[in-house]
Amino acid sequence: MIIRNEDGTMTLGADRLPGSVWGSNLRAILPTSRWVALSRRTAERAGRVCEVCDQPSFYGEGTRNPDCHEMWEFDRNGSHPVQRLTGVIALCGACHETQHSGLAELNDRWESVIATLCRVNGWDRADAEADIGRSRDRYRDLSSMEWDLDLTLIDGWVTLDGYPDLLIPSEGRATLGNTLDKTKRKLSLVVGAEIPDAIWRW
Ligand SMILES: [Zn+2]
């Protein structure tokens, strides 16, 4: 969870996506060339550094563009739970892995997540461990539900066959493709040339 504070600084909380939505994301839905264009533009707008910690993304001996991370809201107030796209953000590799802290744990990157949370937020180890614990509880809670998908943020850029309002019920998500099980999108899609600014205005 990434929070922009009133003074412009950012707070980086550990996060992990509910298991019921793994692999079902913008990267799966968009043609690869359009995802690459969105990622590149997001990095350029951020000056090719992480929008949370202002560091480049270190890669071997050098650096690379920061990653393009999709931000989601999980809304349980309506008749169906809704996962809503709220924007994308450029993140360095270290900050990015805190947003997938379950995966980081599996990959033996626990200490790295702790170190990043402490570095970015000025926390001590106990603060970081407590925060990761909160993300784990939230993950358990959210994973028990099936989520409809709300992509209205990119209305006007993306036109999706079968879902003109860009609201996809949970049972329709499998038709959008999945980056985890590597299934391809079954519905046709048209993507405009201009990426709407709304995707960076979170
Ligand atoms: Zn960072």
Side-chain angles (χ1 to χ4, degrees):
M1 199 163 297
I2 296 164
I3 298 160
R4 195 197 296 272
N5 302 308
E6 280 185 10
D7 64 1
T9 61
M10 308 277 252
T11 299
L12 182 68
D15 210 350
R16 53 189 74 190
L17 285 165
S20 48
V21 307
W22 284 352
S24 172
N25 50 40
L26 205 52
R27 186 158 64 89
I29 296 164
L30 291 176
T32 304
S33 65
R34 306 310 295 155
W35 172 255
V36 168
L38 174 63
S39 301
R40 189 176 300 141
R41 188 79 196 98
T42 301
E44 283 167 0
R45 286 175 57 97
R48 295 196 167 85
V49 294
C50 177
E51 290 185 69
V52 169
C53 75
D54 290 329
Q55 295 290 308
S57 208
F58 295 102
Y59 187 67
E61 302 274 291
T63 60
R64 57 175 165 87
N65 268 348
D67 303 330
C68 181
H69 174 65
E70 298 153 61
M71 294 189 292
W72 304 100
E73 172 182 86
F74 290 89
D75 179 359
R76 283 177 283 183
N77 293 323
S79 53
H80 291 275
V82 176
Q83 178 188 10
R84 184 172 298 119
L85 182 68
T86 59
V88 296
I89 183 173
L91 292 180
C92 71
C95 287
H96 198 182
E97 74 179 353
T98 69
Q99 300 308 292
H100 302 282
S101 61
L103 186 63
E105 271 185 75
L106 281 175
N107 290 337
D108 212 14
R109 301 281 304 168
W110 170 260
E111 287 301 326
S112 171
V113 171
I114 300 244
T116 302
L117 293 174
C118 291
R119 169 172 64 86
V120 171
N121 300 316
W123 289 350
D124 62 25
R125 186 182 182 93
D127 296 330
E129 287 187 349
D131 186 66
I132 295 170
R134 274 192 293 275
S135 84
R136 201 182 282 130
D137 292 345
R138 184 167 179 267
Y139 162 80
R140 276 198 210 100
D141 188 22
L142 300 187
S143 294
S144 65
M145 286 168 240
E146 298 295 330
W147 296 88
D148 293 354
L149 185 63
D150 178 344
L151 297 175
T152 51
L153 185 71
I154 52 173
D155 187 22
W157 183 45
V158 168
T159 309
L160 181 62
D161 191 26
Y163 299 107
D165 54 4
L166 293 181
L167 296 169
I168 302 100
S170 58
E171 60 272 20
R173 294 180 67 143
T175 61
L176 303 180
N178 188 294
T179 54
L180 194 67
D181 65 22
K182 308 248 191 300
T183 52
K184 297 277 186 225
R185 175 169 38 79
K186 296 181 181 71
L187 303 177
S188 69
L189 177 91
V190 177
V191 185
E194 280 293 305
I195 304 169
D197 273 351
I199 203 161
W200 300 294
R201 217 185 295 128
W202 40 268

